[in-house]
Amino acid sequence: MARVLIAEDEAGIRLLVARALRMEGHDVVAVEDGEEALEVIAAEDGAFDAILSDIRMPALTGIELAHAVKAVYPDLPILLMTGYAEQKEAAESLVRLIHGVVEKPFTLADIRRAIGDVLASYPPRVIADGLRQAG
């Protein structure tokens, strides 16, 4: 299916979301914060179909991550998640950068549906030789 990067500093949420997406058949890479996510994205030359990131994280926030990713990979879809109303409002002003914001708490069905919507809205990413990226 798709290759998804999850950036979430709360271990329980990170593991739960990763497991739920893997059960849907997705290849999932899960990291603890935005800085680590940016390192993985750079090391793998953006080889992901979607990024799911918490907004409030140490080192690099999800909003900062979205800006950094879009500067290099403008076609890489980003979905943010937060449990804070003011962060949701701030993120929604970034419509050019992100696909949307998932409110915490969410159900596994909510997160699966949100990722499904993102993947349905964007064509599969391709690498230089025209093959679909790993996923």
Side-chain angles (χ1 to χ4, degrees), residues 80-133:
L80 298 178
M81 52 187 165
T82 188
Y84 300 93
E86 70 279 359
Q87 290 177 344
K88 183 177 189 281
E89 290 172 14
E92 287 177 339
S93 69
L94 303 171
V95 294
R96 294 183 342 261
L97 295 179
I98 65 169
H99 182 79
V101 181
V102 178
E103 290 186 58
K104 294 179 182 178
F106 49 75
T107 67
L108 293 181
D110 292 337
I111 205 69
R112 286 176 176 146
R113 184 173 31 259
I115 288 292
D117 290 347
V118 168
L119 297 173
S121 298
Y122 292 84
R125 301 202 51 205
V126 294
I127 53 177
D129 65 5
L131 297 174
R132 187 179 186 288
Q133 290 182 342

Side-chain angles (χ1 to χ4, degrees), residues 12 18 20 45 67 69 83 98 105 114 121:
D45 196 25
H67 281 283
V69 168
I98 65 169
S121 298

